[in-house]
Amino acid sequence: MEEIRNKAKKDSLYISLVYVGLGTMSLLAIASPTLMEIEFVSILFWLILLLTMPVSFIGFGILYGEGKDGMGYALLVQIIVFAIFWFITYRILLEKEKKRYNAKKRKTERSTNAQQNL
């Protein structure tokens, strides 16, 4: 059971790092005027921001309201969002792994019982 928890922790950490990290990088890039001068990069970061909007909407609101002065607050909010997203992802993956483990356990018990009945 401990290895199921470790696998869920590790997988949820990677998922959270990538998803929230992409959202944070796109927020910081949009706040930077030098990166937004290049049209392709600008479009790419806006698309990434739209895909990660569930975890970056508060940071976007802070940057929209405060401008560059709000970058520290936006980063703080993104760290809090990362922790919350990591916990939620961990719980989802843990339940999924437990269900998979129990189904596998039941399948082996059925096959063992079927062999004993023969």
Side-chain angles (χ1 to χ4, degrees), residues 27-111:
L27 277 176
L28 297 178
I30 287 174
S32 170
T34 55
L35 282 175
M36 298 310 284
E37 290 176 358
I38 306 168
E39 185 176 346
F40 176 73
V41 175
S42 164
I43 292 171
L44 182 66
F45 280 123
W46 277 106
L47 286 175
I48 291 172
L49 186 63
L50 286 175
L51 290 174
T52 60
M53 190 55 79
V55 296
S56 59
F57 70 94
I58 298 173
F60 181 77
I62 290 171
L63 285 177
Y64 184 76
E66 295 289 325
K68 273 192 146 182
D69 299 333
M71 267 196 203
Y73 296 122
L75 284 175
L76 181 64
V77 166
Q78 286 301 106
I79 290 170
I80 295 168
V81 167
F82 168 75
I84 293 169
F85 189 75
W86 185 15
F87 179 74
I88 291 170
T89 308
Y90 168 70
R91 299 299 296 178
I92 291 170
L93 289 179
L94 185 63
E95 286 299 317
K96 195 177 201 182
E97 290 295 325
K98 281 183 181 178
K99 285 180 184 178
R100 186 179 299 153
Y101 176 77
N102 289 336
K104 190 175 183 182
K105 189 175 175 182
R106 276 186 261 132
K107 185 178 179 183
T108 57
E109 286 176 0
R110 285 184 200 155
S111 64

Coordinates of all heavy atoms in Angstrom, one line a residue, residues 27-111:
L27 N 2.3 33.5 -17.3 CA 1.9 34.7 -16.6 C 3.1 35.7 -16.6 O 2.9 36.9 -16.9 CB 1.5 34.4 -15.2 CG 0.1 34.0 -14.9 CD1 -0.1 33.6 -13.5 CD2 -0.9 35.0 -15.4
L28 N 4.3 35.2 -16.2 CA 5.4 36.0 -16.2 C 5.9 36.5 -17.5 O 6.4 37.6 -17.7 CB 6.6 35.3 -15.4 CG 6.3 34.9 -14.0 CD1 7.5 34.1 -13.4 CD2 6.0 36.1 -13.2
A29 N 5.7 35.7 -18.6 CA 6.1 36.1 -19.9 C 5.1 37.2 -20.4 O 5.6 38.1 -21.1 CB 6.1 34.9 -20.8
I30 N 3.9 37.1 -20.1 CA 2.9 38.1 -20.6 C 3.2 39.4 -19.8 O 3.0 40.5 -20.4 CB 1.5 37.6 -20.3 CG1 1.2 36.5 -21.4 CG2 0.5 38.7 -20.4 CD1 -0.1 35.8 -21.2
A31 N 3.7 39.4 -18.6 CA 4.0 40.6 -17.9 C 5.3 41.3 -18.4 O 5.5 42.4 -18.2 CB 4.1 40.3 -16.4
S32 N 6.1 40.5 -19.2 CA 7.3 41.0 -19.7 C 7.1 41.6 -21.1 O 6.7 40.9 -22.0 CB 8.3 39.9 -19.8 OG 9.5 40.3 -20.5
P33 N 7.4 42.9 -21.3 CA 7.1 43.5 -22.6 C 8.1 43.1 -23.7 O 7.8 43.1 -24.9 CB 7.3 45.0 -22.3 CG 8.1 45.1 -21.1 CD 7.8 43.9 -20.3
T34 N 9.3 42.6 -23.3 CA 10.3 42.3 -24.3 C 9.9 40.9 -25.0 O 10.1 40.8 -26.2 CB 11.7 42.1 -23.7 OG1 11.6 41.2 -22.6 CG2 12.2 43.5 -23.3
L35 N 9.4 40.0 -24.3 CA 8.9 38.7 -24.9 C 7.7 38.9 -25.7 O 7.5 38.2 -26.7 CB 8.7 37.7 -23.8 CG 9.9 37.0 -23.2 CD1 9.5 36.1 -22.1 CD2 10.7 36.2 -24.2
M36 N 6.8 39.8 -25.3 CA 5.6 40.0 -26.0 C 5.7 40.7 -27.3 O 4.8 40.9 -28.1 CB 4.5 40.6 -25.1 CG 4.2 39.8 -23.9 SD 3.8 38.1 -24.2 CE 2.2 38.3 -24.8
E37 N 6.9 41.2 -27.6 CA 7.1 41.9 -28.9 C 7.2 40.9 -30.1 O 6.8 41.3 -31.2 CB 8.4 42.7 -28.9 CG 8.3 43.9 -28.0 CD 9.6 44.7 -27.9 OE1 10.6 44.2 -28.4 OE2 9.6 45.7 -27.2
I38 N 7.6 39.7 -29.8 CA 7.7 38.7 -30.9 C 6.3 38.1 -31.0 O 5.8 37.5 -30.1 CB 8.7 37.6 -30.5 CG1 10.1 38.3 -30.2 CG2 8.9 36.6 -31.6 CD1 11.1 37.4 -29.5
E39 N 5.8 38.1 -32.2 CA 4.4 37.7 -32.4 C 4.1 36.2 -32.1 O 3.2 35.9 -31.4 CB 3.9 38.0 -33.8 CG 2.5 37.8 -34.1 CD 2.0 38.2 -35.5 OE1 2.8 38.9 -36.2 OE2 0.9 37.8 -35.8
F40 N 5.0 35.4 -32.6 CA 4.8 33.9 -32.4 C 4.9 33.6 -30.9 O 4.1 32.8 -30.4 CB 5.9 33.1 -33.2 CG 5.8 31.7 -32.9 CD1 4.8 30.9 -33.5 CD2 6.7 31.0 -32.2 CE1 4.7 29.6 -33.3 CE2 6.7 29.7 -31.9 CZ 5.6 28.9 -32.5
V41 N 5.8 34.1 -30.2 CA 6.0 33.9 -28.8 C 4.8 34.4 -28.0 O 4.3 33.8 -27.1 CB 7.3 34.5 -28.3 CG1 7.4 34.3 -26.8 CG2 8.5 33.8 -29.0
S42 N 4.3 35.6 -28.4 CA 3.2 36.2 -27.8 C 1.9 35.3 -28.0 O 1.2 35.0 -27.0 CB 2.9 37.5 -28.5 OG 1.6 38.0 -28.2
I43 N 1.7 34.8 -29.1 CA 0.5 33.9 -29.4 C 0.7 32.6 -28.6 O -0.3 32.1 -28.0 CB 0.4 33.6 -30.9 CG1 0.0 34.9 -31.6 CG2 -0.6 32.5 -31.1 CD1 0.0 34.8 -33.1
L44 N 1.9 32.0 -28.6 CA 2.2 30.8 -27.9 C 1.9 30.9 -26.4 O 1.2 30.1 -25.8 CB 3.6 30.3 -28.1 CG 4.0 29.0 -27.4 CD1 3.3 27.9 -28.1 CD2 5.5 28.9 -27.6
F45 N 2.4 32.0 -25.8 CA 2.1 32.2 -24.3 C 0.7 32.5 -24.0 O 0.2 32.1 -23.0 CB 3.0 33.3 -23.8 CG 4.4 32.9 -23.5 CD1 5.5 33.5 -24.1 CD2 4.7 31.8 -22.7 CE1 6.8 33.1 -23.9 CE2 6.0 31.4 -22.4 CZ 7.0 32.1 -23.0
W46 N -0.1 33.2 -24.9 CA -1.5 33.4 -24.7 C -2.3 32.0 -24.8 O -3.2 31.8 -24.0 CB -2.1 34.4 -25.7 CG -1.9 35.8 -25.2 CD1 -1.0 36.7 -25.7 CD2 -2.5 36.5 -24.1 NE1 -1.0 37.9 -25.1 CE2 -2.0 37.8 -24.1 CE3 -3.5 36.1 -23.2 CZ2 -2.4 38.7 -23.1 CZ3 -3.9 37.0 -22.3 CH2 -3.4 38.3 -22.2
L47 N -1.9 31.2 -25.7 CA -2.5 29.9 -25.8 C -2.2 29.0 -24.5 O -3.1 28.3 -24.0 CB -2.0 29.1 -27.0 CG -2.6 29.6 -28.4 CD1 -2.0 28.9 -29.5 CD2 -4.1 29.5 -28.4
I48 N -1.0 29.0 -24.1 CA -0.6 28.3 -22.9 C -1.4 28.8 -21.7 O -1.9 28.1 -20.9 CB 0.9 28.3 -22.6 CG1 1.6 27.5 -23.7 CG2 1.2 27.8 -21.2 CD1 3.1 27.6 -23.6
L49 N -1.5 30.2 -21.6 CA -2.3 30.8 -20.5 C -3.8 30.4 -20.6 O -4.4 30.1 -19.5 CB -2.2 32.3 -20.6 CG -2.8 33.0 -19.4 CD1 -2.1 32.7 -18.1 CD2 -2.7 34.5 -19.6
L50 N -4.3 30.3 -21.8 CA -5.7 29.8 -21.9 C -5.9 28.4 -21.4 O -6.9 28.0 -20.8 CB -6.2 30.1 -23.3 CG -6.5 31.5 -23.7 CD1 -6.9 31.6 -25.2 CD2 -7.6 32.1 -22.8
L51 N -4.9 27.5 -21.8 CA -5.0 26.1 -21.4 C -4.8 25.9 -19.9 O -5.4 25.0 -19.3 CB -3.9 25.3 -22.1 CG -4.2 25.1 -23.6 CD1 -3.0 24.4 -24.3 CD2 -5.5 24.3 -23.9
T52 N -4.1 26.8 -19.3 CA -3.8 26.7 -17.8 C -4.6 27.7 -17.0 O -4.3 27.9 -15.9 CB -2.3 26.9 -17.5 OG1 -1.9 28.2 -18.0 CG2 -1.5 25.8 -18.2
M53 N -5.7 28.2 -17.6 CA -6.5 29.3 -16.9 C -7.0 28.8 -15.6 O -7.1 29.6 -14.6 CB -7.6 29.7 -17.8 CG -8.3 31.0 -17.3 SD -7.2 32.3 -16.9 CE -6.9 33.0 -18.5
P54 N -7.4 27.5 -15.4 CA -8.0 27.1 -14.1 C -7.0 27.3 -12.9 O -7.4 27.6 -11.8 CB -8.3 25.7 -14.2 CG -8.5 25.5 -15.7 CD -7.6 26.4 -16.4
V55 N -5.7 27.3 -13.2 CA -4.7 27.4 -12.1 C -4.0 28.8 -12.2 O -3.2 29.1 -11.3 CB -3.7 26.3 -12.1 CG1 -4.3 25.0 -11.9 CG2 -2.9 26.3 -13.4
S56 N -4.4 29.6 -13.2 CA -3.6 30.9 -13.3 C -4.6 32.1 -13.3 O -4.1 33.2 -13.6 CB -2.7 30.9 -14.5 OG -3.4 30.7 -15.6
F57 N -5.9 31.9 -13.1 CA -6.8 33.1 -13.2 C -6.6 34.1 -12.1 O -6.8 35.3 -12.3 CB -8.2 32.6 -13.4 CG -8.8 32.0 -12.1 CD1 -9.5 32.8 -11.2 CD2 -8.7 30.7 -11.8 CE1 -10.1 32.3 -10.1 CE2 -9.2 30.1 -10.7 CZ -9.9 30.9 -9.8
I58 N -6.3 33.6 -10.9 CA -6.0 34.6 -9.8 C -4.8 35.4 -10.1 O -4.7 36.6 -9.9 CB -6.0 33.9 -8.5 CG1 -7.3 33.2 -8.2 CG2 -5.7 34.9 -7.4 CD1 -7.4 32.4 -7.0
G59 N -3.7 34.7 -10.5 CA -2.4 35.4 -10.8 C -2.6 36.3 -12.0 O -2.0 37.4 -12.0
F60 N -3.4 35.9 -13.0 CA -3.7 36.8 -14.1 C -4.4 38.1 -13.6 O -4.1 39.2 -14.0 CB -4.5 36.1 -15.1 CG -4.8 37.0 -16.3 CD1 -3.9 37.2 -17.3 CD2 -6.1 37.5 -16.5 CE1 -4.1 38.0 -18.4 CE2 -6.4 38.3 -17.6 CZ -5.4 38.5 -18.6
G61 N -5.4 37.9 -12.7 CA -6.1 39.1 -12.2 C -5.2 40.0 -11.4 O -5.3 41.2 -11.5
I62 N -4.3 39.4 -10.6 CA -3.3 40.3 -9.9 C -2.4 41.0 -10.9 O -2.2 42.2 -10.7 CB -2.5 39.4 -8.9 CG1 -3.3 38.9 -7.8 CG2 -1.3 40.2 -8.4 CD1 -2.7 37.9 -6.9
L63 N -1.9 40.4 -11.9 CA -1.0 41.0 -12.8 C -1.8 42.1 -13.7 O -1.2 43.1 -14.0 CB -0.3 40.0 -13.8 CG 0.8 39.2 -13.1 CD1 1.3 38.2 -14.1 CD2 1.9 40.1 -12.7
Y64 N -3.0 41.8 -14.0 CA -3.8 42.7 -14.7 C -4.1 44.0 -13.9 O -4.1 45.1 -14.4 CB -5.2 42.1 -15.1 CG -6.0 43.0 -16.0 CD1 -5.7 43.2 -17.3 CD2 -7.2 43.6 -15.5 CE1 -6.5 44.0 -18.1 CE2 -8.0 44.4 -16.2 CZ -7.6 44.6 -17.6 OH -8.4 45.4 -18.3
G65 N -4.3 43.8 -12.6 CA -4.6 45.0 -11.8 C -3.4 45.7 -11.3 O -3.4 46.9 -11.2
E66 N -2.4 45.0 -11.0 CA -1.2 45.7 -10.4 C -0.1 45.9 -11.5 O 0.8 46.7 -11.2 CB -0.6 44.8 -9.3 CG -1.5 44.6 -8.1 CD -1.6 45.9 -7.3 OE1 -0.6 46.6 -7.2 OE2 -2.7 46.1 -6.8
G67 N -0.1 45.2 -12.6 CA 1.0 45.4 -13.5 C 2.3 44.6 -13.0 O 2.2 43.6 -12.4
K68 N 3.4 45.2 -13.4 CA 4.7 44.5 -13.0 C 4.9 44.6 -11.5 O 5.6 43.8 -10.9 CB 5.9 45.2 -13.7 CG 6.2 44.7 -15.0 CD 7.5 45.2 -15.5 CE 8.2 44.1 -16.3 NZ 9.5 44.5 -16.7
D69 N 4.3 45.5 -10.8 CA 4.4 45.6 -9.3 C 3.8 44.4 -8.6 O 4.2 44.1 -7.5 CB 3.8 46.9 -8.8 CG 4.4 48.1 -9.4 OD1 5.6 48.0 -9.7 OD2 3.7 49.2 -9.5
G70 N 2.9 43.7 -9.3 CA 2.2 42.6 -8.7 C 2.9 41.2 -8.9 O 2.3 40.2 -8.6
M71 N 4.1 41.2 -9.5 CA 4.7 39.9 -9.8 C 5.0 39.1 -8.6 O 4.8 37.9 -8.6 CB 6.0 40.1 -10.6 CG 5.8 40.1 -12.1 SD 7.4 39.9 -12.9 CE 7.0 40.6 -14.4
G72 N 5.4 39.7 -7.5 CA 5.7 38.9 -6.3 C 4.4 38.3 -5.7 O 4.4 37.2 -5.3
Y73 N 3.3 39.1 -5.7 CA 2.0 38.6 -5.3 C 1.5 37.5 -6.2 O 1.0 36.5 -5.7 CB 1.0 39.7 -5.2 CG 1.3 40.8 -4.2 CD1 1.4 42.1 -4.6 CD2 1.5 40.5 -2.9 CE1 1.7 43.1 -3.7 CE2 1.8 41.5 -2.0 CZ 1.9 42.8 -2.4 OH 2.2 43.7 -1.5
A74 N 1.7 37.6 -7.5 CA 1.3 36.6 -8.4 C 2.1 35.3 -8.2 O 1.5 34.2 -8.2 CB 1.4 37.1 -9.8
L75 N 3.4 35.4 -7.9 CA 4.2 34.2 -7.6 C 3.7 33.6 -6.3 O 3.7 32.3 -6.3 CB 5.6 34.6 -7.6 CG 6.3 34.8 -8.9 CD1 7.7 35.3 -8.7 CD2 6.3 33.5 -9.8
L76 N 3.4 34.3 -5.3 CA 3.0 33.8 -4.1 C 1.7 33.0 -4.2 O 1.5 31.9 -3.7 CB 2.8 34.9 -3.0 CG 2.4 34.5 -1.6 CD1 3.4 33.6 -1.0 CD2 2.1 35.7 -0.8
V77 N 0.8 33.6 -5.0 CA -0.5 33.0 -5.3 C -0.3 31.7 -6.1 O -1.0 30.7 -5.8 CB -1.5 34.0 -6.0 CG1 -2.7 33.2 -6.6 CG2 -1.9 35.0 -5.1
Q78 N 0.6 31.7 -7.0 CA 0.9 30.5 -7.8 C 1.4 29.4 -7.0 O 1.2 28.2 -7.2 CB 1.8 30.8 -9.0 CG 1.1 31.6 -10.1 CD -0.1 30.9 -10.7 OE1 -1.2 31.2 -10.4 NE2 0.2 29.9 -11.5
I79 N 2.3 29.7 -6.0 CA 2.8 28.7 -5.1 C 1.7 28.1 -4.3 O 1.6 26.9 -4.1 CB 3.9 29.3 -4.1 CG1 5.1 29.6 -5.0 CG2 4.2 28.4 -3.0 CD1 6.1 30.4 -4.2
I80 N 0.7 28.9 -3.8 CA -0.4 28.4 -3.0 C -1.3 27.5 -3.9 O -1.8 26.4 -3.6 CB -1.2 29.5 -2.4 CG1 -0.4 30.2 -1.3 CG2 -2.5 29.1 -1.8 CD1 -0.9 31.5 -0.9
V81 N -1.5 28.0 -5.2 CA -2.3 27.2 -6.1 C -1.6 25.9 -6.4 O -2.3 24.9 -6.6 CB -2.6 28.0 -7.4 CG1 -3.1 27.2 -8.5 CG2 -3.5 29.2 -7.1
F82 N -0.3 25.9 -6.6 CA 0.4 24.7 -6.8 C 0.2 23.7 -5.7 O 0.0 22.5 -5.9 CB 1.9 25.0 -6.9 CG 2.8 23.7 -6.9 CD1 2.9 22.9 -8.0 CD2 3.5 23.4 -5.8 CE1 3.6 21.8 -8.0 CE2 4.3 22.3 -5.8 CZ 4.4 21.4 -6.9
A83 N 0.3 24.1 -4.4 CA 0.1 23.2 -3.3 C -1.3 22.6 -3.3 O -1.5 21.4 -3.1 CB 0.4 23.9 -2.0
I84 N -2.3 23.5 -3.6 CA -3.7 23.0 -3.6 C -3.9 22.0 -4.8 O -4.5 20.9 -4.6 CB -4.7 24.2 -3.7 CG1 -4.6 25.0 -2.4 CG2 -6.1 23.7 -4.0 CD1 -5.4 26.3 -2.5
F85 N -3.4 22.4 -6.0 CA -3.5 21.5 -7.1 C -2.8 20.2 -6.9 O -3.3 19.1 -7.3 CB -3.0 22.2 -8.4 CG -3.3 21.5 -9.7 CD1 -4.5 21.5 -10.2 CD2 -2.3 20.8 -10.3 CE1 -4.8 20.9 -11.4 CE2 -2.5 20.2 -11.5 CZ -3.8 20.2 -12.0
W86 N -1.6 20.2 -6.3 CA -0.9 19.0 -6.0 C -1.7 18.1 -5.1 O -1.8 16.9 -5.3 CB 0.4 19.3 -5.4 CG 1.4 18.1 -5.2 CD1 1.2 16.9 -5.7 CD2 2.5 18.1 -4.4 NE1 2.2 16.1 -5.2 CE2 3.1 16.8 -4.4 CE3 3.2 19.1 -3.6 CZ2 4.2 16.4 -3.8 CZ3 4.3 18.7 -2.9 CH2 4.9 17.4 -3.0
F87 N -2.3 18.6 -4.0 CA -3.1 17.8 -3.1 C -4.3 17.2 -3.8 O -4.6 16.0 -3.6 CB -3.6 18.7 -1.9 CG -4.4 18.0 -0.9 CD1 -3.9 17.1 -0.1 CD2 -5.8 18.2 -0.9 CE1 -4.7 16.4 0.8 CE2 -6.6 17.5 0.0 CZ -6.0 16.6 0.9
I88 N -5.0 18.0 -4.6 CA -6.2 17.5 -5.3 C -5.8 16.4 -6.3 O -6.4 15.3 -6.4 CB -6.9 18.6 -6.0 CG1 -7.6 19.5 -5.0 CG2 -8.0 18.1 -7.0 CD1 -8.1 20.8 -5.6
T89 N -4.7 16.6 -7.0 CA -4.2 15.6 -8.0 C -3.8 14.3 -7.2 O -4.0 13.2 -7.7 CB -3.1 16.2 -8.8 OG1 -3.5 17.4 -9.4 CG2 -2.7 15.2 -9.9
Y90 N -3.1 14.5 -6.1 CA -2.7 13.3 -5.3 C -3.9 12.5 -4.9 O -3.9 11.3 -5.0 CB -1.9 13.8 -4.1 CG -1.6 12.7 -3.1 CD1 -0.8 11.7 -3.4 CD2 -2.3 12.8 -1.8 CE1 -0.6 10.7 -2.4 CE2 -2.1 11.8 -0.9 CZ -1.2 10.7 -1.2 OH -1.0 9.8 -0.3
R91 N -4.9 13.2 -4.4 CA -6.1 12.4 -3.9 C -6.8 11.7 -5.1 O -7.2 10.5 -4.9 CB -7.1 13.4 -3.3 CG -6.6 14.1 -2.0 CD -6.2 13.2 -0.9 NE -7.4 12.5 -0.4 CZ -7.3 11.6 0.5 NH1 -6.2 11.2 1.1 NH2 -8.4 10.9 0.9
I92 N -6.9 12.3 -6.2 CA -7.5 11.7 -7.4 C -6.7 10.5 -7.8 O -7.2 9.4 -8.0 CB -7.7 12.7 -8.5 CG1 -8.7 13.7 -8.2 CG2 -8.0 12.0 -9.8 CD1 -8.8 14.9 -9.1
L93 N -5.4 10.6 -7.9 CA -4.5 9.5 -8.4 C -4.5 8.4 -7.3 O -4.4 7.2 -7.7 CB -3.1 10.0 -8.7 CG -2.9 10.9 -9.9 CD1 -1.5 11.3 -10.1 CD2 -3.4 10.1 -11.1
L94 N -4.5 8.8 -6.0 CA -4.5 7.7 -5.0 C -5.8 6.9 -5.1 O -5.7 5.7 -5.0 CB -4.4 8.4 -3.6 CG -4.2 7.5 -2.4 CD1 -3.0 6.7 -2.5 CD2 -4.3 8.3 -1.1
E95 N -6.9 7.5 -5.3 CA -8.1 6.7 -5.4 C -8.1 5.8 -6.6 O -8.5 4.7 -6.6 CB -9.4 7.7 -5.5 CG -9.7 8.3 -4.1 CD -10.1 7.3 -3.1 OE1 -10.8 6.3 -3.4 OE2 -9.6 7.5 -1.9
K96 N -7.6 6.4 -7.7 CA -7.5 5.6 -8.9 C -6.6 4.4 -8.8 O -6.9 3.3 -9.2 CB -6.9 6.5 -10.0 CG -7.1 6.0 -11.4 CD -6.6 7.1 -12.4 CE -7.1 6.9 -13.7 NZ -6.6 7.9 -14.7
E97 N -5.4 4.6 -8.1 CA -4.5 3.5 -7.9 C -5.1 2.5 -6.9 O -4.8 1.3 -7.1 CB -3.2 4.0 -7.3 CG -2.4 4.8 -8.3 CD -1.9 3.9 -9.5 OE1 -1.6 2.8 -9.3 OE2 -1.8 4.5 -10.6
K98 N -5.8 2.9 -5.9 CA -6.4 2.0 -5.0 C -7.5 1.1 -5.7 O -7.5 -0.1 -5.4 CB -7.1 2.7 -3.8 CG -6.1 3.2 -2.8 CD -6.9 3.9 -1.6 CE -5.9 4.4 -0.6 NZ -6.7 5.1 0.5
K99 N -8.3 1.7 -6.5 CA -9.3 1.0 -7.3 C -8.6 -0.1 -8.2 O -9.0 -1.2 -8.3 CB -10.1 1.9 -8.1 CG -11.1 2.6 -7.3 CD -12.0 3.5 -8.2 CE -12.9 4.4 -7.4 NZ -13.7 5.3 -8.2
R100 N -7.5 0.3 -8.8 CA -6.8 -0.6 -9.7 C -6.2 -1.7 -8.9 O -6.2 -2.9 -9.3 CB -5.7 0.2 -10.5 CG -5.0 -0.7 -11.5 CD -3.9 0.1 -12.2 NE -4.5 1.2 -12.9 CZ -3.9 2.3 -13.2 NH1 -2.7 2.5 -12.9 NH2 -4.5 3.3 -13.9
Y101 N -5.6 -1.4 -7.7 CA -5.0 -2.4 -6.9 C -6.1 -3.4 -6.4 O -5.9 -4.6 -6.4 CB -4.3 -1.7 -5.7 CG -3.7 -2.7 -4.7 CD1 -2.5 -3.4 -5.0 CD2 -4.4 -2.9 -3.5 CE1 -2.0 -4.3 -4.1 CE2 -3.8 -3.8 -2.6 CZ -2.7 -4.5 -2.8 OH -2.1 -5.3 -1.9
N102 N -7.2 -2.9 -5.9 CA -8.3 -3.8 -5.4 C -8.9 -4.6 -6.5 O -9.2 -5.8 -6.3 CB -9.4 -2.9 -4.8 CG -8.9 -2.3 -3.5 OD1 -8.0 -2.8 -2.8 ND2 -9.6 -1.2 -3.1
A103 N -9.0 -4.1 -7.7 CA -9.5 -4.9 -8.8 C -8.5 -6.0 -9.2 O -8.9 -7.2 -9.5 CB -9.8 -4.0 -10.1
K104 N -7.3 -5.7 -9.2 CA -6.2 -6.7 -9.5 C -6.2 -7.8 -8.4 O -6.1 -9.0 -8.7 CB -4.9 -6.0 -9.6 CG -3.8 -6.9 -10.1 CD -2.5 -6.0 -10.2 CE -1.4 -6.8 -10.8 NZ -0.1 -6.0 -10.9
K105 N -6.4 -7.4 -7.1 CA -6.4 -8.3 -6.0 C -7.6 -9.2 -6.1 O -7.5 -10.4 -5.9 CB -6.4 -7.5 -4.7 CG -6.3 -8.3 -3.5 CD -6.2 -7.4 -2.3 CE -6.1 -8.2 -1.0 NZ -6.1 -7.3 0.2
R106 N -8.8 -8.7 -6.5 CA -10.0 -9.5 -6.6 C -9.9 -10.5 -7.7 O -10.3 -11.6 -7.6 CB -11.2 -8.6 -6.8 CG -11.8 -8.1 -5.5 CD -13.1 -7.4 -5.7 NE -12.7 -5.9 -5.7 CZ -13.1 -5.0 -6.6 NH1 -13.9 -5.4 -7.6 NH2 -12.7 -3.8 -6.5
K107 N -9.2 -10.1 -8.8 CA -9.0 -10.9 -10.0 C -8.2 -12.1 -9.6 O -8.4 -13.3 -10.0 CB -8.4 -10.1 -11.1 CG -8.3 -10.9 -12.4 CD -7.8 -10.1 -13.5 CE -7.6 -10.9 -14.8 NZ -7.1 -10.1 -15.9
T108 N -7.1 -11.9 -8.9 CA -6.2 -13.0 -8.5 C -6.9 -13.9 -7.5 O -6.7 -15.1 -7.5 CB -4.9 -12.5 -7.9 OG1 -5.2 -11.6 -6.8 CG2 -4.1 -11.7 -9.0
E109 N -7.7 -13.3 -6.6 CA -8.5 -14.2 -5.7 C -9.5 -15.0 -6.4 O -9.7 -16.2 -6.0 CB -9.2 -13.3 -4.6 CG -8.3 -12.7 -3.6 CD -9.0 -11.8 -2.7 OE1 -10.2 -11.6 -2.8 OE2 -8.3 -11.2 -1.8
R110 N -10.1 -14.5 -7.4 CA -11.1 -15.3 -8.2 C -10.4 -16.4 -8.9 O -10.9 -17.5 -8.9 CB -11.8 -14.4 -9.2 CG -12.9 -13.5 -8.5 CD -13.6 -12.8 -9.6 NE -14.2 -11.6 -9.0 CZ -14.5 -10.5 -9.7 NH1 -14.2 -10.4 -11.0 NH2 -15.1 -9.5 -9.1
S111 N -9.3 -16.1 -9.5 CA -8.6 -17.2 -10.2 C -8.1 -18.3 -9.3 O -8.1 -19.4 -9.6 CB -7.5 -16.6 -11.1 OG -6.5 -16.0 -10.2

